[in-house]
């Protein structure tokens, strides 16, 4: 009788163990994910008077911008036909503060301006100072000659005589100036509008018309101020409209309009994929290695694609690393999706019009000058371009653009955006100072805009998300383990007794 009762008890125990296992499975694979999923999305969707809204309105810590110049080492030799030799100088480090203003709601869409402000960071720059002088390619000088050569070659002789009046002390293919002047304070050209020289005055009037649309040029009294980053400082680059995620959570922070338009009008064929802007501005939760992301950059007027590369650890948190694909600036091919990036505005290295080779993007339509965009040190660029200049050392670890995301929340743990600005140089007929110059692609400077998530927010992710996920995992496997043991042990005892 005792043996029969004990067997019943053991059977009941085993059945109870089955119940515990089922509870563990239901909680762990059904209830817990629903609760976590709801909480994660609640902390992501943009709504006023929430912590995420405060972070959206103002980034509570500065980004870091590092600027590296390509100092020209052999100016005189280049003017006689030698290959340019450059030396990277930097980084000159700036703090970049970002905030949003001009908020307007339209249903679940938010329109706003994204402001930014640069401050020189002497501590991070070390021995370098923004008072340092560097010698680089003179962009407005080179742009003027290339433009006149394209539009009115017969005027080049007249332009040659007017160059000293237009550029004054900055007259020449290369310019030596302070870092702060090149980036923000500006160098003055067309002083007093070129008064005193009829040709110079006409050209300066054309420059002023260009300054109204060209990035980097501003009119100061009768003169023109030229700098590389002033147009981004203490201002914005246009009006952005994104989805809040309140209607469709998967659309969170999706860019749907730029300057109230659903596409730009920069690249070939207004309705082409090149002019589309729909992209992500911040990253959604639950990212996976199979995902890719399109990111629109206002200052280069286009989208770029990011794809998974590896899994990395940032301050103790595991994240997925997505990089800008190495074909981002590949040569446009006939009948291909990227052919619309071939704008035929800049002559190629050999002086002919046509699509550029791998690694560079013609930015003429975007910035109003024949500037070429690339990854730093011409990473993934055509070997022909690299062969025309000495001193570049492309390295993916140093020069690729990437973001590392925490997989569950989509929070960016570390971000680095890296781009380089270049121009073609070549001899231009009737311009005496550069009549012997050989064709080359000359890098001007490159910059990195980066941030690693502040320790305060790293700790917040660990305490409010990751630690709670670990606790739920412990509960899930604890119940499954306890239930399994409660099934196995009585079952084993029943078998043993029988």
């Amino acid at each position: 009788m005792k043996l029969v009762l004990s067997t019943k008890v053991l059977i009941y125990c085993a059945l109870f163990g089955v119940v515990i296992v089922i509870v563990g499975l239901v909680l762990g694979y059904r209830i817990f994910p629903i609760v976590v999923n709801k909480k994660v999305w609640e902390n992501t969707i943009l709504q006023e008077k929430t912590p995420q809204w405060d972070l959206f309105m103002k980034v509570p810590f500065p980004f870091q911008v590092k600027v590296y110049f390509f100092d020209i080492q052999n100016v005189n030799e280049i003017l006689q036909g030698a290959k340019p030799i450059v030396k990277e100088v930097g980084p000159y480090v700036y703090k970049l503060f970002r905030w949003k203003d001009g908020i307007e709601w339209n249903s679940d869409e938010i329109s706003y301006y994204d402001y930014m402000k640069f401050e020189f960071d002497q501590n991070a720059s070390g021995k370098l100072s923004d008072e340092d002088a560097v010698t680089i390619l003179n962009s407005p000088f080179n742009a003027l000659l290339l433009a006149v050569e394209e539009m009115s070659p017969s005027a080049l002789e007249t332009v040659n005589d007017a160059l000293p009046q237009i550029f004054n002390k900055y007259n020449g293919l290369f310019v030596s100036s302070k870092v702060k002047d090149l980036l923000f304070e500006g160098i003055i050209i067309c002083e007093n509008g070129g008064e005193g020289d009829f040709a110079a005055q006409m050209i300066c009037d054309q420059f002023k018309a260009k300054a109204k649309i060209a990035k980097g040029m501003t009119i100061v009294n009768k003169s023109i101020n030229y700098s590389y980053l002033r147009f981004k400082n203490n201002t914005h680059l246009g009006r952005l409209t994104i989805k809040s995620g309140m209607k469709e959570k998967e659309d969170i922070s999706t860019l749907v309009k730029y300057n109230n338009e659903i596409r730009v009008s920069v690249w070939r064929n207004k309705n082409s994929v090149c002019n589309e802007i729909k992209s992500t501005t911040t990253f959604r939760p639950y990212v996976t290695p199979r995902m890719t992301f399109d990111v629109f950059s206002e200052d280069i007027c286009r989208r770029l694609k990011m794809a998974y590369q590896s899994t990395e650890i940032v301050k103790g948190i595991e994240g997925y690393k997505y990089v800008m694909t190495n074909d981002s600036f590949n040569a446009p091919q006939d009948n291909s999706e990227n052919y619309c990036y071939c704008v035929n505005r800049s002559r190629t290295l050999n002086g002919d019009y046509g699509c550029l080779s791998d690694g560079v993007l013609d930015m003429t339509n975007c910035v109003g000058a024949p500037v070429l965009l690339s990854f730093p040190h011409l990473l993934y660029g055509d070997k022909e371009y690299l062969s025309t200049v000495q001193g570049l050392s492309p390295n993916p670890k140093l020069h690729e653009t990437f973001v590392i995301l925490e997989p569950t929340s989509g929070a960016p743990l570390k971000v680095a955006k890296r781009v380089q600005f270049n121009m073609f140089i070549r001899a231009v007929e009737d311009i005496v100072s550069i009549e012997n110059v050989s064709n080359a692609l000359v890098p001007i400077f490159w910059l990195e805009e980066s941030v690693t998530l502040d320790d305060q927010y790293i700790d917040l992710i660990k305490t409010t998300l990751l630690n709670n996920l670990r606790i739920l995992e412990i509960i899930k496997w604890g119940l499954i383990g306890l239930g399994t043991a409660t099934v196995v042990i009585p079952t084993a005892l029943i078998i043993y007794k029988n």
Side-chain angles (χ1 to χ4, degrees):
M1 186 70 179
K2 182 178 180 181
L3 181 61
V4 172
L5 181 62
S6 298
T7 300
K8 286 184 178 181
V9 171
L10 292 173
I11 291 172
Y12 287 139
C13 286
L15 292 174
F16 181 65
V18 171
V19 173
I20 295 176
V21 170
I22 293 173
V23 170
L25 292 171
V26 171
L27 286 175
Y29 292 99
R30 183 65 179 173
I31 304 300
F32 290 166
I34 291 175
V35 174
V36 171
N37 182 69
K38 182 180 179 182
K39 193 65 178 176
V40 167
W41 282 108
E42 282 179 356
N43 290 332
T44 304
I45 293 171
L46 292 173
Q47 300 182 73
E48 294 182 5
K49 299 180 180 179
T50 61
Q52 60 266 31
W53 180 258
D54 295 336
L55 289 172
F56 169 76
M57 288 297 296
K58 183 178 181 179
V59 181
F61 44 82
F63 285 72
Q64 188 178 68
V65 175
K66 297 179 180 178
V67 182
Y68 299 82
F69 288 95
F70 290 102
D71 192 72
I72 304 295
Q73 302 294 292
N74 61 334
V75 171
N76 293 330
E77 290 81 0
I78 295 171
L79 297 177
Q80 297 304 314
K83 177 189 295 189
I85 300 174
V86 298
K87 179 183 177 182
E88 182 180 276
V89 179
Y92 295 91
V93 184
Y94 293 80
K95 293 179 180 178
L96 175 62
F97 300 90
R98 307 193 74 136
W99 70 96
K100 297 177 178 65
D101 203 353
I103 301 294
E104 288 183 354
W105 283 85
N106 181 15
S107 185
D108 69 328
E109 294 182 354
I110 311 168
S111 296
Y112 60 91
Y113 295 109
D114 190 6
Y115 283 83
M116 53 192 121
K117 179 183 178 182
F118 293 81
E119 287 184 6
F120 184 67
D121 190 339
Q122 184 62 71
N123 289 334
S125 298
K127 295 181 179 180
L128 299 176
S129 166
D130 61 353
E131 296 283 345
D132 294 345
V134 293
T135 300
I136 62 172
L137 181 66
N138 189 342
S139 299
F141 180 93
N142 191 47
L144 170 63
L145 299 184
L146 296 180
V148 175
E149 182 190 39
E150 175 188 349
M151 295 183 294
S152 184
S154 60
L156 283 169
E157 188 174 349
T158 302
V159 170
N160 180 72
D161 295 336
L163 287 175
Q165 184 70 24
I166 297 170
F167 290 98
N168 297 308
K169 65 178 180 179
Y170 302 114
N171 181 34
L173 188 59
F174 301 99
V175 59
S176 295
S177 189
K178 294 179 181 179
V179 167
K180 67 177 184 180
D181 292 338
L182 292 169
L183 293 180
F184 296 104
E185 299 296 327
I187 61 175
I188 300 298
I189 60 176
C190 285
E191 192 167 0
N192 295 320
E195 289 181 353
D197 186 296
F198 179 71
Q201 191 170 350
M202 287 186 62
I203 294 169
C204 286
D205 287 343
Q206 292 297 316
F207 252 137
K208 289 178 182 178
K210 195 80 167 177
K212 295 178 181 179
I213 59 172
K215 296 177 180 178
M217 286 187 179
T218 53
I219 300 173
V220 180
N221 297 323
K222 294 181 179 181
S223 306
I224 294 175
N225 181 294
Y226 183 86
S227 62
Y228 288 109
L229 297 180
R230 185 178 182 178
F231 76 96
K232 299 174 68 172
N233 195 26
N234 276 318
T235 187
H236 58 83
L237 296 180
R239 191 156 183 80
L240 304 170
T241 301
I242 65 172
K243 293 285 188 180
S244 68
M246 294 176 65
K247 285 187 176 180
E248 296 290 339
K249 61 180 185 292
E250 288 80 6
D251 290 338
I252 175 68
S253 295
T254 297
L255 178 68
V256 292
K257 289 181 183 178
Y258 177 57
N259 287 331
N260 299 316
E261 299 289 341
I262 61 172
R263 58 181 67 242
V264 294
S265 301
V266 174
W267 312 104
R268 277 190 172 188
N269 185 357
K270 180 174 174 61
N271 295 321
S272 68
V273 65
C274 298
N275 285 308
E276 292 180 0
I277 64 165
K278 189 175 181 180
S279 54
T280 185
T281 55
T282 58
F283 297 91
R284 52 157 289 167
Y286 301 109
V287 297
T288 69
R290 293 185 177 182
M291 289 181 177
T292 60
F293 300 97
D294 287 324
V295 180
F296 179 78
S297 182
E298 306 100 279
D299 47 359
I300 67 171
C301 307
R302 63 164 287 186
R303 297 185 304 181
L304 292 168
K305 187 178 291 296
M306 306 193 77
Y308 173 83
Q309 184 188 72
S310 60
T311 299
E312 307 283 340
I313 302 295
V314 179
K315 295 184 177 182
I317 298 179
E318 185 178 276
Y320 293 157
K321 182 179 182 180
Y322 297 83
V323 300
M324 208 72 75
T325 56
N326 57 17
D327 62 353
S328 296
F329 304 128
N330 268 15
Q333 302 294 325
D334 289 344
N335 301 317
S336 67
E337 192 176 69
N338 73 339
Y339 184 69
C340 38
Y341 290 120
C342 179
V343 295
N344 264 345
R345 291 295 306 277
S346 293
R347 296 192 184 190
T348 59
L349 194 59
N350 59 16
D352 297 328
Y353 287 104
C355 299
L356 304 182
S357 300
D358 287 348
V360 296
L361 176 72
D362 186 351
M363 295 278 286
T364 306
N365 286 0
C366 177
V367 302
V371 174
L372 308 174
L373 185 77
S374 70
F375 290 122
H377 286 250
L378 293 180
L379 178 68
Y380 309 126
D382 190 279
K383 291 181 179 179
E384 183 184 19
Y385 294 150
L386 284 163
S387 69
T388 65
V389 60
Q390 183 178 328
L392 299 183
S393 301
N395 183 337
K397 290 185 178 180
L398 299 176
H399 303 138
E400 67 185 2
T401 292
F402 70 87
V403 60
I404 300 176
L405 304 176
E406 194 286 311
T408 302
S409 64
L413 305 175
K414 190 173 183 178
V415 181
K417 173 186 174 183
R418 296 160 172 160
V419 291
Q420 177 173 303
F421 300 91
N422 322 265
M423 293 183 83
F424 286 133
I425 63 170
R426 61 177 176 272
V428 177
E429 187 178 356
D430 293 325
I431 304 299
V432 177
S433 63
I434 63 171
E435 61 185 1
N436 296 317
V437 169
S438 297
N439 293 2
L441 187 152
V442 179
I444 304 170
F445 72 97
W446 73 274
L447 59 81
E448 172 188 284
E449 181 182 325
S450 64
V451 67
T452 300
L453 196 61
D454 189 79
D455 288 344
Q456 173 187 347
Y457 296 95
I458 288 286
D459 292 340
L460 189 64
I461 291 175
K462 288 179 178 179
T463 55
T464 62
L465 177 64
L466 301 182
N467 289 348
N468 288 335
L469 290 177
R470 291 190 187 100
I471 291 171
L472 295 180
E473 282 291 298
I474 291 171
I475 293 173
K476 178 182 74 175
W477 290 110
L479 288 172
I480 293 173
L482 176 63
T484 301
T486 308
V487 171
V488 171
I489 294 173
T491 302
L493 289 175
I494 291 172
I495 295 172
Y496 174 76
K497 290 186 176 185
N498 289 336

